[in-house]
């Protein structure tokens, strides 16, 4: 029994044309038993950046709160919003601080920088950053998500097309994972607005 | 009692059988897992061992397939030499295999069928290899979530249609809560006339409270 597989969960983020998308499932389980179908794993960090936190649920909650605090302090001191690339390094340092007793989460960050250029990355549980140009995946469904994203993703997808692509990637990947699924939420971030949609998915 | 070996495939499962006036209804989910990966999402866990005698398999896929194959063989020989086997006979064969090999098996089996002497009957053989005739039986990892629902809903003397709804609703509830159960619902109605299979796809599952 792996601690990263205790609660289950899946997160994926993708780059589109002048937009990014981030999506997560909504299951909270205790090994095989499903406890809740309203446990979202994506959190808004700034008006143009989201952070996804799959892994051990208690650490998901704690780190969501820690990052909310750190982002707020940054805003107060710098008098501006934190850029996505800087947030990635903030997440990385926070995780590496606990190198020998780590937080059991593998975060995903998606957002637009101050020039509205798309940015995504993921880190492992001790803070190694993976800067990707196409998509990043994390959680118990990561292998299935790699397969789906590799097949469905293409560059320069418009926001509506990106929504379809990320939704199909997530939904079909979690249908092959017992520990993820039971609903999904997809967020599309564009320079003008952020649209969050809930997907109707299999409840098994 | 042996657990699953690394890499071994698991019928996580929710299985069920209900006796009614004309025969039995048996039902199962369709998920087979290797760890958390769903190896097969359309599995058929309802296995024929004779014309009107079926078993529902839960536990190790390999163990239950092997046991069912052996019972199928014995019943073939029996029917050639002695005529139609009865359901308690088939259940007894399952019990012998499951009890004598209990240290090496991980198999929870429900036998359901129709024969002339007993009409419909349901026989539950849990992990240790004991044998229990019951008006209805539930098994597999998903069954733990529906004991209350089944006890509250089951009544003696339900019609065939009521039994089908009972099995469908119970399995849908189990599949919604148990990670090791899911996919589609497969059912079989076993009566004097033979076996009629019913298939309920994922998007036609009964929907309950989803939080």
């Amino acid at each position: 029994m792996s601690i990263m597989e205790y609660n289950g969960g899946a997160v994926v983020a993708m780059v589109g044309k002048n937009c990014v998308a981030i999506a997560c499932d909504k299951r909270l389980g205790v090994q095989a038993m499903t406890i809740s179908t309203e446990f979202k794993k994506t959190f808004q960090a700034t008006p143009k950046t989201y952070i996804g936190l799959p892994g051990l649920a208690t650490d998901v909650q704690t780190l969501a709160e820690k990052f909310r605090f750190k982002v707020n302090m940054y805003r107060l001191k710098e008098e501006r919003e934190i850029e996505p690339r800087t947030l990635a390094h903030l997440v990385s340092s926070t995780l590496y601080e606990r190198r020998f007793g780590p937080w059991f989460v593998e975060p995903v960050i998606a957002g637009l920088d101050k020039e509205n250029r798309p940015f995504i990355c993921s880190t492992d549980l001790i803070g190694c950053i993976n800067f990707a140009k196409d998509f990043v995946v994390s959680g118990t469904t990561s292998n299935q998500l790699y397969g789906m994203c590799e097949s469905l993703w293409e560059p320069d997808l418009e926001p509506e097309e990106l929504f379809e692509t990320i939704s199909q990637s997530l939904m079909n990947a979690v249908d092959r994972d017992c520990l993820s699924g039971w609903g999904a939420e997809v967020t599309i971030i564009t320079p003008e607005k952020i649209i969050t949609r809930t997907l109707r998915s299999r409840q098994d | 009692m042996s657990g699953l070996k690394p890499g071994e495939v698991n019928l996580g499962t929710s299985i069920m059988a209900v006796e009614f006036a004309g025969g039995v209804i048996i039902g199962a989910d369709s998920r087979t897992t290797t760890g958390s990966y769903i190896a097969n999402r359309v599995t058929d866990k309802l296995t024929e061992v004779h014309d009107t005698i079926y078993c529902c398999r839960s536990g190790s896929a390999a163990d239950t397939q092997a046991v069912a194959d052996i019972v199928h063989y014995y019943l073939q020989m029996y029917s050639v030499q002695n005529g139609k086997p009865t359901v308690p006979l088939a259940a007894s064969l399952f019990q012998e295999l499951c009890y004598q090999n209990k240290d090496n098996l991980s198999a929870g089996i429900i036998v359901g069928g129709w024969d002339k002497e007993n009409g419909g009957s349901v026989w539950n053989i849990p992990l240790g290899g004991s044998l229990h005739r019951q008006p209805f039986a539930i098994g597999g990892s998903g069954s733990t979530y529906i004991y209350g629902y089944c006890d509250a809903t089951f009544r003696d003397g339900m019609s065939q249609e009521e039994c089908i709804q009972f099995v469908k609703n119970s399995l849908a509830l189990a599949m919604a809560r148990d990670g090791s159960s899911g996919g589609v619902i497969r059912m079989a109605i076993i009566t004097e006339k033979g076996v009629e299979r019913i298939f309920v796809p994922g998007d036609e599952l009964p929907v309950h409270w989803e939080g």
Side-chain angles (χ1 to χ4, degrees):
Chain A
M1 199 274 293
S2 162
I3 191 78
M4 294 295 285
E5 290 175 17
Y6 186 71
N7 296 123
V11 175
V12 56
M14 285 185 174
V15 165
K17 196 168 174 62
N18 301 321
C19 62
V20 290
I22 187 167
C24 68
D25 74 318
K26 285 166 51 171
R27 180 182 182 268
L28 172 69
V30 170
Q31 295 187 292
M33 178 163 72
T34 304
I35 304 279
S36 168
T37 55
E38 289 300 327
F39 192 75
K40 289 172 223 162
K41 297 152 188 92
T42 53
F43 306 92
Q44 183 165 30
T46 76
K48 295 200 297 187
T49 321
Y50 265 67
I51 180 167
L53 291 164
L56 190 65
T58 181
D59 289 353
V60 167
Q61 288 182 323
T62 303
L63 283 177
E65 287 167 23
K66 267 177 101 73
F67 290 132
R68 192 171 83 111
F69 171 78
K70 292 186 179 212
V71 166
N72 285 344
M73 288 308 293
Y74 187 97
R75 189 187 305 112
L76 287 169
K77 291 181 197 172
E78 297 265 323
E79 295 180 17
R80 62 186 177 94
E81 295 291 350
I82 189 170
E83 289 289 298
R85 195 171 291 272
T86 317
L87 177 62
H89 286 94
L90 178 62
V91 167
S92 172
S93 336
T94 309
L95 294 173
Y96 198 80
E97 258 183 326
R98 290 279 171 268
R99 169 65 178 80
F100 298 109
W103 297 107
F104 294 107
V105 293
E106 294 194 314
V108 160
I109 295 157
L112 302 172
D113 69 13
K114 59 181 188 276
E115 261 95 59
N116 286 330
R117 281 177 301 221
F119 174 88
I120 57 167
C121 76
S122 65
T123 80
D124 68 5
L125 77 172
I126 45 175
C128 170
I129 312 179
N130 163 37
F131 295 104
K133 297 198 176 74
D134 42 14
F135 53 84
V136 287
V137 304
S138 193
T140 56
T141 325
S142 56
N143 287 346
Q144 290 89 325
L145 280 164
Y146 274 124
M148 287 309 306
C149 293
E150 200 66 60
S151 334
L152 297 185
W153 187 86
E154 57 187 64
D156 294 322
L157 289 165
E158 295 291 334
E160 293 310 312
E161 297 171 307
L162 187 64
F163 168 73
E164 279 305 319
T165 304
I166 198 173
S167 301
Q168 287 299 324
S169 297
L170 180 65
M171 288 188 54
N172 291 297
V174 301
D175 282 352
R176 277 286 183 173
D177 178 16
C178 320
L179 303 176
S180 301
W182 279 265
E185 191 175 78
V186 180
T187 302
I188 312 288
I189 307 166
T190 65
E192 297 81 42
K193 54 187 192 285
I194 298 184
I195 314 151
T196 303
R197 293 184 182 94
T198 309
L199 302 180
R200 233 173 41 121
S201 79
R202 300 181 64 101
Q203 301 290 318
D204 64 359
Chain B
M1 209 283 292
S2 75
L4 266 44
K5 298 187 209 57
E8 199 181 347
V9 154
N10 181 25
L11 298 176
T13 302
S14 306
I15 50 174
M16 188 164 171
V18 183
E19 185 191 318
F20 69 99
V24 298
I25 313 278
I26 58 172
D29 74 305
S30 68
R31 181 168 289 184
T32 309
T33 53
T34 323
S36 67
Y37 178 67
I38 300 171
N40 187 352
R41 60 193 181 111
V42 287
T43 325
D44 185 6
K45 303 181 187 181
L46 306 175
T47 304
E48 184 202 294
V49 289
H50 199 72
D51 300 351
T52 53
I53 308 175
Y54 271 61
C55 70
C56 311
R57 300 181 292 114
S58 74
S60 152
D63 289 353
T64 55
Q65 283 177 5
V67 166
D69 281 350
I70 293 169
V71 172
H72 179 77
Y73 162 76
Y74 277 129
L75 290 178
Q76 267 186 325
M77 295 304 281
Y78 181 92
S79 65
V80 161
Q81 294 163 355
N82 307 101
K84 266 185 179 295
T86 62
V87 186
L89 179 91
S92 197
L93 288 168
F94 271 106
Q95 181 191 22
E96 189 65 16
L97 291 167
C98 291
Y99 176 73
Q100 297 297 349
N101 294 294
K102 62 157 77 184
D103 293 341
N104 299 314
L105 289 175
S106 177
I109 293 173
I110 300 176
V111 183
W114 182 93
D115 64 56
K116 202 135 173 275
E117 289 88 336
N118 304 286
S121 59
V122 168
W123 303 79
N124 197 355
I125 303 158
L127 252 36
S130 55
L131 180 64
H132 307 269
R133 180 170 182 187
Q134 296 174 307
F136 78 94
I138 55 178
S141 56
S143 66
T144 56
Y145 304 103
I146 53 172
Y147 274 96
Y149 175 76
C150 290
D151 287 347
T153 314
F154 177 77
R155 289 162 293 117
D156 270 315
M158 291 197 292
S159 69
Q160 178 175 308
E161 264 318 304
E162 285 172 316
C163 284
I164 292 175
Q165 268 309 115
F166 175 49
V167 169
K168 222 191 273 190
N169 282 332
S170 307
L171 290 179
L173 284 165
M175 284 155 71
R177 281 285 179 177
D178 180 29
S180 312
S181 304
V184 303
I185 296 181
R186 294 192 192 275
M187 287 191 277
I189 312 170
I190 308 174
T191 59
E192 182 174 11
K193 297 191 197 67
V195 177
E196 183 195 332
R197 275 195 177 260
I198 304 179
F199 174 77
V200 184
D203 54 359
E204 286 171 32
L205 292 174
V207 168
H208 301 98
W209 179 77
E210 268 154 22

